[in-house]
Amino acid sequence: MSDPTDLELGPMFGARAQESVQLYRPGARTEYPPQVVQRLEDDAAVLIARYPQARSALLPLLHLVQSEDGYITPAGIEFCARTLDLTTADVISVATFYSMYRRGPTGDYLVGVCTNTLCAVLGGDAILDSLCEHLDVQPGGTTADGTVTVERIECNAACDYAPVVMVNWEFFDDQTVAGARDLVDALRAGRPPSPSRGAPLGTFRETSRLLAGFDDERPGAVSASGAGGAPTTAGLRAAPHPPQVRP
């Protein structure tokens, strides 16, 4: 009988050809030292207290362990299962369902290029190809210095600013091939630019902690968040007020 950790899901389950679907991989952390366990337990208690049933906190806890390792590791899976009294199969099934949970080491900045229809025809495909060539990576790969991971992402409901690039889930609108290259160069040089809207960039691990449900304690981070522009509300402005109801 083959080792279950060697199994890979076939194309019918949606795995990309270049994407490893394994959570148990060489070098992945399998256990946390006691001081890390204590810190995670303290944080987990805060998150679990917000829900009527402990198991409802699984999504935030997955973000929490992702903030520790930069991706979902066996140690993180075991921690979530033990803390919430779930099986590891329960945890793995959720961690592999949602694309925001990473299955392999991720750079400080996760650069996602939207290649859904509108972004693609307006330049998304060209941007992705250019970035991969510029950084010498394949889609889903990380630069040799561990700074940037580039991946193809699905629609982020920002079609009015296509083509869109996201960095750690913050928007960079109306991108071009040249602009996207400048963006990743600035990230690698330690000069992260301000997003088109949203909070200033943090690292991928910092962002994962925020997604777990903890406050952004960086001075001025919340007040610095920009708002969407005029195209986002164009339909609202064009609609009659109050809406006309046909008899």
Side-chain angles (χ1 to χ4, degrees), residues 18 33 41 44 47 52 76 100 136 175 232:
Q18 73 277 10
E41 287 178 345
L47 299 175
M100 290 179 75
D136 192 25
Q175 289 297 295
T232 303

Side-chain angles (χ1 to χ4, degrees), residues 24 55 58 61-62 65 74-92:
Y24 290 76
R55 64 181 298 151
L58 177 55
L61 257 64
L62 283 169
V65 295
I77 292 168
E78 295 286 349
F79 174 82
C80 292
R82 183 178 66 255
T83 302
L84 300 177
D85 195 23
L86 299 172
T87 67
T88 55
D90 289 330
V91 178
I92 291 171

